[in-house]
Amino acid sequence: MASFGSIRVDRPPPRLYRTARLFRRLSTVVLVVALVFVASVVYSGAELARSSPQTGGYTAGFAANDTVSVSGSLVLSNPGFYPMNGLSFEFHVLNASGGPLGDARSAPFDLAPGATTALPLELYLPISASGPAASLLVRDQTLHVELWGNATYAYLFPISVHFEQNRSWGAPFSGFSATLGAPASVNGSVAVPVTIDFSNHAPDPEPGALDVLVLSSTGASCGGATFSFGSAPGVTPDASYSQTQTVAIAAGCSLQGGTIVATYVGPLASIPLPPEAIP
Amino acid sequence: MNVPSSRAIEAATYRVPSLGIRILAGAARFVALLIVLVGLPVVVLAYLADRGVTLPVTAPTLLLGGVLVSGLSTAGSILRPTRAYGPVSVATSAAAIGYLFAIGFQGTLRVAVPGTTGSLVVGYAGLFDLVLLVPVLALGAGLVTAIEDLRAPGERLPFEYPP
């Protein structure tokens, strides 16, 4: 309704005019909302980028089902105004030769604005004498860890992160070797001294013992012994161990071309170490 | 004595500002738009660059696009009482849509995470979906106004310039 002095015109605004006005007003409202939103997201995003994720310390040890577990944590903080929804991580571990040792992924979760959380990362590496993780038992090495993360930030922005990191690995039976001494005749049977040497470079002690079998070239068992190291091999990290036991050899068993197979037997796992050839 | 028609009475109820006033107001609008469409984005770019975040948009692109859209919008406001207003509004909106596409409608942003070897990739297509609503709605307004001016020239003026 328009007016002029005391004259008033009661014609309502035309339909097309009202439509155009509605469009213009909506456009202005969306513009203001978008500007405020963008400014706050830019600020929040910059703060988020500055608070880089921190990797917590990690531990490694033997676990059930003949596996080595590598556990760590990723500390994440979200200092901005907006949540991170559907945050999920996946990480891969490669051994020194580039062979994949295993991977793990986290279930999606949300990180609220202003929150900090420590995301536990746990990886179980199956150990076998021939698998890529076997070298973890006897060889110190650098592991290559790759981590991917995905989330939606501030409801509208899909984000993905990628981190690579090298972590040094201390083998629990580093430099393991098993050697045979000269055979000797004892009460009519043959016995050989078996000496095993290794250092525990693992960060944690592992209780258990080593079962050592001497096999002929055909794979037949010629004899064996159990090596105990106090309460456990590697009871003291960074300690070196050398122990010799005399093993009675079965009659007719030929040691030439055979192998010595040591198996770590702990409370959670029974894991064969890489075999040692008998010259 | 002749009795004026209701249209004639209505025509006397609004006063279109003079061209000089409209140019003056348009100049103020131009400056304000430059601040919003050029100054603010450049400040944001610099703010992000200081924090190691580089957007795939350059300051000259922002300047060119911002000046073009601001200029057309200012022309539209000066031409508001005329039948050119609708088409100029449509052109302004079309330029704004083109400008948004030019600065990366389906863009992604890669950011190095400080202090690590990590990188962060951010997709901002969703933001453009939101921002694109602004010129699309304005385009609709311009089209409707152009149609209205074709069908009934001057019909909207009493409501555009109420006393």
Side-chain angles (χ1 to χ4, degrees):
Chain A
M1 182 172 67
S3 67
F4 179 64
S6 60
I7 302 171
R8 299 181 71 84
V9 179
D10 287 333
R11 184 168 69 91
R15 192 167 52 86
L16 284 176
Y17 175 77
R18 290 201 310 266
T19 306
R21 186 176 61 186
L22 178 67
F23 278 145
R24 276 198 298 271
R25 286 178 179 173
L26 280 176
S27 174
T28 305
V29 168
V30 173
L31 177 64
V32 170
V33 169
L35 284 176
V36 171
F37 180 65
V38 168
S40 60
V41 168
V42 166
Y43 173 78
S44 293
E47 292 299 309
L48 180 67
R50 287 169 67 183
S51 69
S52 51
Q54 305 294 318
T55 48
Y58 81 105
T59 58
F62 295 109
N65 301 321
D66 296 352
T67 57
V68 166
S69 73
V70 180
S71 308
S73 64
L74 188 67
V75 181
L76 299 163
S77 59
N78 179 12
F81 301 136
Y82 296 100
M84 298 175 78
N85 298 111
L87 188 57
S88 64
F89 285 95
E90 178 174 340
F91 76 110
H92 298 193
V93 179
L94 310 177
N95 66 13
S97 314
L101 296 176
D103 51 56
R105 44 185 66 82
S106 71
F109 65 99
D110 297 338
L111 188 58
T116 298
T117 189
L119 175 71
L121 301 173
E122 216 158 58
L123 184 63
Y124 292 93
L125 309 173
I127 303 286
S128 69
S130 57
S135 66
L136 294 179
L137 297 172
V138 296
R139 187 153 65 101
D140 296 341
Q141 55 196 286
T142 300
L143 301 181
H144 186 68
V145 181
E146 287 189 76
L147 183 140
W148 289 267
N150 291 297
T152 300
Y153 185 64
Y155 312 107
L156 278 186
F157 301 90
I159 59 173
S160 60
V161 291
H162 178 218
F163 292 96
E164 293 181 48
Q165 198 170 47
N166 288 325
R167 305 300 295 251
S168 59
W169 170 268
F173 303 99
S174 179
F176 175 81
S177 70
T179 53
L180 292 185
S185 182
V186 179
N187 298 329
S189 60
V190 178
V192 289
V194 177
T195 301
I196 60 172
D197 296 281
F198 66 90
S199 299
N200 178 18
H201 291 163
D204 300 306
E206 299 292 347
L210 281 176
D211 281 348
V212 173
L213 276 180
V214 181
L215 304 179
S216 71
S217 57
T218 60
S221 174
C222 297
T226 296
F227 289 74
S228 298
F229 299 87
S231 60
V235 70
T236 308
D238 285 331
S240 294
Y241 292 85
S242 179
Q243 204 173 92
T244 301
Q245 286 197 38
T246 301
V247 175
I249 301 299
C253 211
S254 170
L255 299 179
Q256 192 165 18
T259 51
I260 303 172
V261 176
T263 302
Y264 164 73
V265 180
L268 292 173
S270 177
I271 297 172
L273 273 54
E276 295 277 311
I278 300 171
Chain B
M1 177 179 137
N2 291 331
V3 176
S5 68
S6 62
R7 284 285 179 183
I9 293 170
E10 188 177 301
T13 61
Y14 64 90
R15 292 193 191 94
V16 176
S18 68
L19 182 63
I21 295 289
R22 296 204 310 267
I23 289 174
L24 203 62
R29 180 190 179 93
F30 184 67
V31 171
L33 283 173
L34 278 184
I35 290 170
V36 173
L37 296 180
V38 178
L40 198 62
V42 168
V43 167
V44 168
L45 273 185
Y47 175 81
L48 291 175
D50 282 350
R51 284 151 182 80
V53 180
T54 308
L55 284 169
V57 183
T58 61
T61 307
L62 286 175
L63 183 67
L64 189 68
V67 167
L68 178 68
V69 173
S70 302
L72 281 169
S73 178
T74 301
S77 76
I78 293 171
L79 296 170
R80 190 163 185 159
T82 72
R83 290 170 66 174
Y85 174 60
V88 171
S89 296
V90 170
T92 306
S93 304
I97 290 171
Y99 173 52
L100 285 177
F101 273 99
I103 62 177
F105 183 74
Q106 297 291 342
T108 55
L109 169 66
R110 183 176 292 275
V111 183
V113 178
T116 72
T117 57
S119 62
L120 174 74
V121 178
V122 183
Y124 52 90
L127 171 67
F128 275 88
D129 289 344
L130 174 67
V131 174
L132 195 62
L133 268 177
V134 176
V136 165
L137 286 167
L139 185 77
L143 273 175
V144 173
T145 302
I147 292 168
E148 185 184 18
D149 284 349
L150 274 177
R151 289 175 55 175
E155 180 189 59
R156 61 183 169 87
L157 295 181
F159 306 98
E160 296 272 26
Y161 301 101

